[in-house]
């Protein structure tokens, strides 16, 4: 599955392209307050689950979750990612070798 947009739907309030978003997400670009943590939170809160996993990767989610958790507004999303990060860490640590790259 390929996720290519001129402007992803989860960026309704920012005038940046998909390529700029990828740069922000992988840490090679910052635009004002738009940094990697902001981009990860956008995916966590608004992108479909498979797109979030594809773009962030399991390793980045497990590593970043303690930093991002308090900024996620929806309790259901917090609980879901609490479960996911615990499950990966305890039952599937092999997924932490995930080197998912941005397309």
């Amino acid at each position: 599955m390929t996720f290519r947009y001129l402007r992803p739907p989860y960026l309704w309030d920012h005038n940046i392209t998909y390529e700029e978003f990828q740069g922000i997400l992988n840490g090679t670009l910052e635009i004002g307050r738009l940094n990697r943590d902001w981009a990860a939170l956008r995916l966590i809160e608004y992108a479909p689950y498979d797109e979030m996993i594809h773009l962030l990767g399991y390793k980045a989610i497990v590593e970043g979750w303690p930093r991002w958790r308090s900024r996620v507004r929806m309790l259901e999303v917090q609980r879901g990612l609490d479960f996911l990060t615990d499950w990966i860490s305890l039952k599937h640590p092999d997924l932490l070798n995930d080197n998912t790259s941005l397309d």
Side-chain angles (χ1 to χ4, degrees):
M1 185 178 299
T2 301
F3 303 99
R4 294 213 180 263
Y5 308 99
L6 292 177
R7 186 171 170 178
Y10 43 82
L11 298 177
W12 75 91
D13 58 341
H14 292 279
N15 190 20
I16 61 175
T17 66
Y18 181 71
E19 289 75 21
E20 289 170 322
F21 181 76
Q22 286 180 312
I24 294 168
L25 186 61
N26 70 24
T28 61
L29 177 65
E30 284 192 24
I31 302 173
R33 64 178 180 78
L34 307 182
N35 59 25
R36 188 171 197 282
D37 286 339
W38 170 84
L41 284 163
R42 274 297 167 119
L43 287 174
I44 289 168
E45 291 193 315
Y46 300 110
Y49 177 81
D50 56 342
E51 187 170 359
M52 176 191 68
I53 297 299
H54 175 74
L55 292 176
L56 279 172
Y58 293 115
K59 182 176 180 178
I61 292 170
V62 170
E63 290 174 353
W65 185 236
R67 188 170 67 253
W68 303 326
R69 187 183 192 285
S70 66
R71 294 171 54 196
V72 171
R73 293 174 290 165
M74 292 182 63
L75 185 58
E76 296 85 2
V77 174
Q78 287 181 353
R79 288 179 181 161
L81 284 173
D82 286 344
F83 173 82
L84 178 67
T85 56
D86 288 345
W87 180 78
I88 290 170
S89 298
L90 297 172
K91 302 286 185 177
H92 291 281
D94 53 302
L95 294 175
L96 297 177
N97 297 324
D98 180 1
N99 291 323
T100 301
S101 63
L102 300 175
D103 290 336

